[in-house]
């Protein structure tokens, strides 16, 4: 008897139950035909009222102040010349791969 792996079981498609009546060709079924190219070679698309509302620019809050000072400040020389502590260097190392890891072959 051949042993079937868990991956093989999960990769099989779900069986269609008996008596199933397919009412749509696919999940991409549409209720109207897609727009077609006009005689001038341009496809013309139109938006409904809801879409037109969504594309409008959102109004700013009345108390918003756009000219606030920036939070940027100069970096001190001490901070620019600082050396990291050993613990920080350990934490900054990239995560090691497991010993049995094999990269995918292309």
């Amino acid at each position: 008897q051949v042993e079937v792996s868990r991956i093989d079981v999960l990769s099989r498609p779900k069986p269609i139950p008996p008596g199933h009546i397919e009412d749509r060709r696919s999940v991409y079924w549409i209720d109207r035909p897609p727009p077609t190219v006009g005689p001038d070679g341009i496809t013309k698309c139109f938006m409904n009222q809801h879409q037109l509302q969504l594309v409008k620019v959102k109004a700013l809050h009345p108390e918003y102040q756009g000219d606030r000072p920036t939070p940027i400040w100069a970096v001190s020389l001490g901070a620019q010349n600082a050396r990291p502590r050993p613990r920080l260097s350990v934490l900054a190392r990239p995560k090691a791969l497991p010993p049995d890891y094999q990269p995918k072959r292309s």
Side-chain angles (χ1 to χ4, degrees):
Q1 183 176 0
V2 177
E3 185 176 326
V4 179
S5 73
R6 176 95 172 121
I7 297 294
D8 290 333
V9 172
L10 292 173
S11 67
R12 290 190 187 128
K14 248 168 85 170
I16 297 175
H20 173 74
I21 300 171
E22 191 168 347
D23 58 346
R24 291 197 168 183
R25 289 182 288 202
S26 74
V27 295
Y28 302 107
W29 179 268
I30 53 175
D31 296 330
R32 61 186 179 279
T36 57
V37 178
D40 55 355
I42 299 174
T43 303
K44 295 181 180 174
C45 299
F46 300 97
M47 291 192 282
N48 60 31
Q49 287 299 319
H50 179 67
Q51 292 168 331
L52 291 171
Q53 288 293 330
L54 290 175
V55 298
K56 288 185 179 176
V57 177
K58 186 176 178 181
L60 296 176
H61 191 275
E63 296 178 18
Y64 173 72
Q65 297 175 353
D67 56 348
R68 291 182 288 184
T70 172
I72 306 285
W73 57 87
V75 179
S76 67
L77 288 174
Q80 290 179 11
N81 298 326
R83 298 282 167 240
R85 294 187 176 143
R87 176 66 180 151
L88 186 61
S89 298
V90 169
L91 293 173
R93 286 190 200 133
K95 184 177 175 182
L97 295 171
D100 58 341
Y101 174 76
Q102 293 183 356
K104 291 182 181 179
R105 294 188 292 171
S106 57

